[in-house]
């Protein structure tokens, strides 16, 4: 066989090796992970969640869960490997070692007379004078003649017996394992090979880099557009009321890109009539308010009405076209709301504090969207101190059921939740007429709801008390318990069409001045990551305190046990404010459940600076510089895009802010010699602004 043909035959082997090297270990790793996954269900098992179809374990659901792009790629690569193995096995049969006896149809060691007879017989069959077929001619020249020569000519036979080839020793050859058509096209092998190298090694990486850079320049790491962050930063205000959060949320660039068709007008008009009571319109000037609402940008109108359809559960009024846009709006909502929370918590003041009121409002909006509860349900009505919103997230609860409960003087959700299952069953069966299956659904949801506790400690590492300018270490244990024993779980959300993991936000804030001193997001889904983070934090703390190795290992072991039991460790640092007494609040707010949030008090006493050393004033300076940069960034944003759709709350009351700053400076009273501060949770329940 020619050298080019040999090189071409090696190309499939080369490709098979390149594919198998990463594919085999990756497949083994994925199979091991799949085998080690827990089969315990972490989703709600009530009848409403079952009817939603999100957690259905049918064969089609399993296939859809399996049909990810990564799994599809793995399957395709294994199919390609199977084809290559079959092809290599097939061509290996065609590539035969030069065996003159087998070519002539003889056994090894045949005599000269037998060799001549076989050669004459094959000559009659394949000689060009006898057979005009070109393939017969090539076979006669390349195989039969060489085989006869190797066995009859003394020199050729000696070469064959010594080197395995009638032509003698074959020189060492090197080739490229590429298909023959790339190396032998009308003698232009060099040009074809050059084009191949340029295309694969230069053009392909360049195209991939251009696509990646164009996408990364448009989106952040959380797949949120940079234009959305600019809009959120511009419209975020410290006095942003919870009722106005919706107006900022819908201004995301992702929502502005959703097309508005002419066929959407009639369905949107019908939807407007259904949700009009939730749009905060002035009933005294209803005509002017409606006209003002429809004068907004069409994308803003469409997005707001679709979100209100989710909140009021009026999704049946949507057309098939609107249903697609509706799912798109809800799919983007969690990560957009998360970025909106971060925009509220970003340092804005000279001390590096964020804003509490808008952050709480955004998290409340997230709760109501996930649970599909109207925003008007948070108002105190019918004698319910926390409103009817926490009740409406339970299965089979509606306004009629709430009126019946009001007659039994059930005034809060925590009161219902604090009852025993027998007491709840008696109340619901006698008052609301729930069937045993409906009561069982309510119990399943209540068992899924988390109960939270907080243990917060503030101290200056290695020092007595907290003095102004110290770097204060915040040490917080957040503990989650459920009646069903789960730790990480998916919330009950039958009206939300996608999987949503519950997240919690810890906020250390001064509610009087609307300042957030420290914030962090918490998740209970990944236990391994939480164990690693807690172990590392405890080790660093113990080493800094000069503890022995035994004491450190004991503390780490205790922390790991707490994490396995459903606790998460938060550690952060902030600079101590000027001398005075500060009444802070610790908030733990869930982004998925309504009525599970807790709030605890934290008294912080800051003493006058008496220790040696200089104050760490650079923290405040950096925060002030960041705030100034933020103001400059606001001025650079093109305001023309939002001039026609500016919210009513876009102008701040500067006098109110100045008064708040005066109160903040006056709150720093005289110092008392005392150490640190410590607080623990005082109970669960939602905190009403």
């Amino acid at each position: 066989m020619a050298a080019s043909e040999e090189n071409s035959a090696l190309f499939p082997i080369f490709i098979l090796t390149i594919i198998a090297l990463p594919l085999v270990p990756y497949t083994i790793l994925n199979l091991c992970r799949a085998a080690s996954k827990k089969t315990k269900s972490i989703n709600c098992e009530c009848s409403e969640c079952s009817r939603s179809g999100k957690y259905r374990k049918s064969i089609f659901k399993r296939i859809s869960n399996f049909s990810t792009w990564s799994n599809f790629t793995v399957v395709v690569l294994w199919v390609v490997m199977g084809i290559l193995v079959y092809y290599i096995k097939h061509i290996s049969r065609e590539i035969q070692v030069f065996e003159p006896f087998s070519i002539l149809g003889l056994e090894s060691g045949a005599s000269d007379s037998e060799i001549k007879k076989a050669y004459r017989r094959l000559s009659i069959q394949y000689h060009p004078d006898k057979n005009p077929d070109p393939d017969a001619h090539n076979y006669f020249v390349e195989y039969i003649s060489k085989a006869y020569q190797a066995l009859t000519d003394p020199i050729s036979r000696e070469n064959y017996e010594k080197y395995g080839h009638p032509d003698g020793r074959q020189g060492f050859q090197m080739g490229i394992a590429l298909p023959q058509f790339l190396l032998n096209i009308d003698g232009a092998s060099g040009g074809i090979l050059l084009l191949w190298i340029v295309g694969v090694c230069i053009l392909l990486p360049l195209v991939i880099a251009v696509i990646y850079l164009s996408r990364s320049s448009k989106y952040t790491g959380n797949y949120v557009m940079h234009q959305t962050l600019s809009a959120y930063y511009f419209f975020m205000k410290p006095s942003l009321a919870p009722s106005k959060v919706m107006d900022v949320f819908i201004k995301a660039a992702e929502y502005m890109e959703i097309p508005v068709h002419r066929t959407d007008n009639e369905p949107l008009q019908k939807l407007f009539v259904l949700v009009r009571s939730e749009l905060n319109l002035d009933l005294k000037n209803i005509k002017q308010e409606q006209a003002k609402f429809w004068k907004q940008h069409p994308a803003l109108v469409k997005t707001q009405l679709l979100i209100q359809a989710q909140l009021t559960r009026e999704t049946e009024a949507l057309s098939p076209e609107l249903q697609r846009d509706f799912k798109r709006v809800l799919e983007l909502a969690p990560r957009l709301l998360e970025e909106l929370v971060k925009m509220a918590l970003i340092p804005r003041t000279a001390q590096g504090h964020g804003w509490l009121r808008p952050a709480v409002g955004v998290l409340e909006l997230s709760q109501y969207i996930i649970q599909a509860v109207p925003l008007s349900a948070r108002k105190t009505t019918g004698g319910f101190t926390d409103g009817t919103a926490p009740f409406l997230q339970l299965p089979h609860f509606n306004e009629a059921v709430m009126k019946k409960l009001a007659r039994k003087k059930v005034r809060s959700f925590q009161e219902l939740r604090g009852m025993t299952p027998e007491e709840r069953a008696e109340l619901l069966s006698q008052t609301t007429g729930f069937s045993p299956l409906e009561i069982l659904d309510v119990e399943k949801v209540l068992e899924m709801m988390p109960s939270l506790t907080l243990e917060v400690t503030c101290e200056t590492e290695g020092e007595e008390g907290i003095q102004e300018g110290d770097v204060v270490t915040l040490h917080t244990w957040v503990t989650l318990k459920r009646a069903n024993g789960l730790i990480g779980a998916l919330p009950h959300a039958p009206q939300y069409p996608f999987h949503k993991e519950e997240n919690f936000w810890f906020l250390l804030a001064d509610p009087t001045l609307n300042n957030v001193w420290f914030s962090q997001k918490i998740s209970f889904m990944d236990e391994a990551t939480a164990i690693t983070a807690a172990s590392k934090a405890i080790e660093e703390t113990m080493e800094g305190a000069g503890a022995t190795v035994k004491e450190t290992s004991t503390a780490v072991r205790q922390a790991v046990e707490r994490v396995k039991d459903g606790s998460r460790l938060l550690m952060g640092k902030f600079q101590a404010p000027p001398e005075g007494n500060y009444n802070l609040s610790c908030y733990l707010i869930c982004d998925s459940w309504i009525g599970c949030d807790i709030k605890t008090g934290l008294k912080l006493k800051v003493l006058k600076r008496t220790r040696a050393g200089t104050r760490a004033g650079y923290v405040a300076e950096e925060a002030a510089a960041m705030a100034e940069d933020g103001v400059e960034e606001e001025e650079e944003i093109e305001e023309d895009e939002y001039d026609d759709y500016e919210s009513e709350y876009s102008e701040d009351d500067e006098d109110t802010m100045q008064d708040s700053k005066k109160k903040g400076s006056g709150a720093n009273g005289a110092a008392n010699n005392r150490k640190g501060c410590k607080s623990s949770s005082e109970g669960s329940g939602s905190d009403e602004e």
Side-chain angles (χ1 to χ4, degrees):
M1 182 178 288
S4 61
E5 294 177 351
E6 295 176 359
N7 294 332
S8 178
L10 294 176
F11 178 71
I13 302 176
F14 171 74
I15 295 298
L16 178 64
T17 305
I18 294 298
I19 295 176
L21 284 176
L23 182 61
V24 173
Y26 178 78
T27 304
I28 295 175
L29 180 62
N30 280 354
L31 291 176
C32 294
R33 287 179 178 176
S36 62
K37 279 186 178 180
K38 297 180 179 180
T39 58
K40 190 175 182 180
S41 176
I42 60 172
N43 58 271
C44 180
E45 297 180 355
C46 70
S47 60
E48 290 190 357
C49 288
S50 300
R51 284 196 299 268
S52 67
K54 290 192 297 182
Y55 314 113
R56 191 172 299 156
K57 299 299 183 180
S58 63
I59 184 63
F60 302 103
K61 196 70 176 179
R62 294 175 187 270
I63 293 175
S64 63
N65 292 335
F66 176 77
S67 301
T68 60
W69 281 110
S70 59
N71 293 340
F72 177 76
T73 304
V74 169
V75 172
V76 170
L77 290 177
W78 274 107
V79 171
V80 172
M81 283 185 59
I83 295 174
L84 288 175
V85 170
Y86 175 78
Y87 178 72
I88 292 170
K89 186 177 180 181
H90 178 69
I91 64 174
S92 63
R93 296 175 181 175
E94 298 179 354
I95 303 174
Q96 300 176 356
V97 181
F98 183 77
E99 292 288 349
F101 289 104
S102 61
I103 293 174
L104 296 178
L106 300 173
E107 295 182 358
S108 180
S111 61
D112 293 342
S113 60
E114 292 175 343
I115 294 173
K116 292 179 181 179
K117 290 179 181 180
Y119 176 71
R120 293 192 191 98
R121 185 180 68 254
L122 293 175
S123 298
I124 297 174
Q125 184 177 356
Y126 292 101
H127 196 278
D129 296 339
K130 305 292 184 180
N131 191 343
D133 188 3
D135 294 336
H137 173 69
N138 293 332
Y139 183 74
F140 180 80
V141 174
E142 294 292 336
Y143 291 94
I144 298 176
S145 297
K146 284 188 176 183
Y148 179 73
Q149 182 181 4
L151 297 177
T152 56
D153 184 70
I155 298 176
S156 298
R157 186 158 188 167
E158 182 181 0
N159 290 335
Y160 169 70
E161 293 175 353
K162 186 181 293 187
Y163 304 111
H165 199 279
D167 295 334
R169 183 191 297 272
Q170 300 297 300
F172 180 73
Q173 296 181 352
M174 296 184 63
I176 303 175
L178 292 177
Q180 188 175 2
F181 70 89
L182 289 176
L183 301 175
N184 189 19
I185 300 180
D186 297 332
S189 59
I192 297 296
L193 183 60
L194 179 63
L195 292 177
W196 174 266
I197 295 175
V198 170
V200 174
C201 300
I202 299 178
L203 294 182
L204 183 60
L206 185 61
V207 170
I208 295 175
V210 169
I211 295 175
Y212 173 77
L213 293 176
S214 62
R215 180 175 177 82
S216 61
S217 63
K218 188 177 180 181
Y219 291 90
T220 64
N222 199 21
Y223 298 101
V224 176
M225 297 176 67
H226 289 287
Q227 187 178 354
T228 298
L229 299 186
S230 300
Y232 283 172
Y233 187 90
F234 178 77
F235 287 105
M236 182 60 65
K237 305 298 177 184
S239 58
L240 184 64
S243 59
K244 298 294 185 181
V245 172
M246 176 77 75
D247 297 336
V248 179
F249 170 60
I250 62 176
K251 288 183 171 61
E254 288 84 351
Y255 291 157
M256 301 295 289
E257 290 183 349
I258 295 178
V260 181
H261 307 286
R262 292 183 178 180
T263 55
D264 296 337
N265 292 334
E266 184 177 352
L268 289 177
Q269 289 283 354
K270 295 180 180 179
L271 182 60
F272 174 79
V273 175
L274 296 174
V275 303
R276 181 169 49 188
S277 59
E278 297 290 330
L279 296 176
N280 295 325
L281 301 180
D282 187 5
L283 298 179
K284 296 180 180 179
N285 303 315
I286 188 64
K287 292 184 179 180
Q288 292 82 351
E289 290 290 323
Q290 290 183 8
K292 182 180 178 181
F293 176 82
W294 289 104
K295 283 182 180 179
Q296 297 181 100
H297 193 285
L300 295 179
V301 173
K302 183 176 183 178
T303 302
Q304 186 168 2
L305 290 177
L306 291 179
I307 294 176
Q308 290 294 345
Q310 167 70 5
L311 296 175
T312 57
R313 304 184 183 183
E314 296 288 352
T315 56
E316 295 181 358
L318 301 178
S319 62
E321 293 77 12
L322 287 180
Q323 283 284 355
R324 291 193 294 268
D325 295 335
F326 171 74
K327 290 184 177 180
R328 177 62 177 166
V329 168
L330 293 184
E331 184 181 11
L332 294 172
R335 60 173 177 261
L336 292 178
L337 288 168
E338 181 178 342
E339 293 301 323
L340 192 55
V341 172
K342 293 178 182 178
M343 282 297 138
L345 299 175
I346 193 172
R348 303 278 190 142
T349 65
Q351 294 78 23
H353 298 159
W355 295 329
L356 174 63
R357 191 180 186 190
V360 174
V362 174
L363 290 174
E364 286 183 355
L365 178 60
S366 176
Q367 296 173 357
Y368 283 71
I369 290 178
I370 299 301
Q371 295 297 336
V373 174
L375 297 177
S376 59
R378 57 188 169 190
K379 297 179 181 178
T380 303
T381 57
F384 296 101
T385 56
D386 300 330
T388 59
F391 294 92
L392 295 179
Q393 68 184 335
L394 298 177
H396 316 298
F397 271 68
N398 50 37
E399 294 296 337
V401 173
M402 297 308 302
K403 292 180 181 179
K404 295 178 181 179
L405 282 179
R407 298 170 188 169
K408 291 294 182 179
K409 297 183 179 181
V410 178
R411 295 295 178 243
S412 68
F413 181 71
Q414 297 304 324
E415 183 179 348
L416 176 68
R417 193 179 176 189
M419 296 179 179
T420 62
E422 293 77 13
E423 293 174 345
R424 273 194 302 268
E426 182 180 358
L427 174 67
L428 295 177
S429 61
Q430 294 180 359
T431 305
T432 63
F434 278 9
S435 65
L437 291 178
E438 292 174 337
I439 295 175
L440 181 61
D441 286 341
V442 174
E443 291 297 329
K444 288 181 179 179
V445 174
L446 291 176
E447 289 177 355
M448 289 291 294
M449 296 189 71
S451 297
L452 305 168
T453 56
L454 278 174
E455 299 176 15
V456 185
T457 304
C458 291
E459 61 181 3
T460 302
E461 294 183 359
E463 301 290 348
E464 288 289 334
I466 299 177
Q467 298 185 4
E468 54 182 354
D470 285 350
V471 177
V472 182
T473 301
L474 178 70
H475 186 280
T476 305
W477 278 102
V478 180
T479 304
L480 180 146
K481 298 292 183 182
R482 303 182 201 268
N484 58 10
L486 292 176
I487 298 176
L490 301 177
H492 163 79
Q495 304 296 328
Y496 188 75
F498 303 98
H499 285 214
K500 172 69 175 68
E501 295 183 0
E502 57 184 16
N503 296 306
F504 302 85
W505 283 84
F506 173 80
L507 307 177
L508 176 64
D510 186 348
T512 305
L513 300 179
N514 193 34
N515 291 334
V516 177
W517 293 26
F518 176 81
S519 63
Q520 187 170 338
K521 188 177 76 168
I522 312 166
S523 175
F524 288 85
M525 298 299 293
D526 193 349
E527 183 181 280
T529 302
I531 290 175
T532 303
S535 302
K536 184 178 180 181
I538 294 297
E539 286 180 359
E540 293 177 352
T541 302
M542 298 298 290
E543 290 176 359
T548 62
V549 176
K550 184 177 180 180
E551 293 174 344
T552 302
S553 61
T554 302
V556 170
R557 185 168 59 254
Q558 293 174 352
V560 170
E561 292 298 326
R562 293 197 65 173
V563 172
K564 291 182 178 179
D565 291 338
S567 297
R568 296 293 183 266
L569 176 62
L570 304 182
M571 295 193 68
K573 298 181 183 294
F574 61 90
Q575 186 182 11
E579 175 189 3
N581 296 324
Y582 296 86
N583 293 323
L584 305 179
S585 296
C586 299
Y587 297 84
L588 189 60
I589 306 176
C590 181
D591 66 350
S592 303
W593 293 98
I594 304 175
C596 295
D597 310 330
I598 62 173
K599 173 188 174 183
T600 63
L602 180 67
K603 293 183 178 181
L604 182 68
K605 181 176 290 186
V606 181
L607 307 177
K608 187 177 181 179
R609 190 75 183 177
T610 59
R611 287 193 287 266
T614 58
R615 294 184 58 185
Y618 69 93
V619 178
E621 293 176 2
E622 288 184 355
M626 187 179 297
E628 293 177 1
D629 294 342
V631 174
E632 294 177 0
E633 185 177 347
E634 285 187 10
E635 295 176 354
E636 292 175 359
I637 298 177
E638 297 182 0
E639 302 181 7
D640 295 340
E641 300 180 6
Y642 304 99
D643 285 346
D644 296 336
Y645 320 113
E646 189 171 355
S647 303
E648 298 177 359
Y649 55 87
S650 59
E651 298 180 358
D652 293 334
D653 190 351
E654 297 182 358
D655 296 336
T656 304
M657 296 300 297
Q658 292 176 359
D659 294 341
S660 299
K661 292 181 180 179
K662 291 179 181 179
K663 292 180 181 179
S665 60
N668 303 327
N672 294 319
N673 294 324
R674 192 162 178 182
K675 179 183 178 181
C677 57
K678 185 173 182 180
S679 170
S680 61
S681 62
E682 300 173 355
S684 60
S686 59
D687 178 66
E688 183 176 359
E689 288 287 348

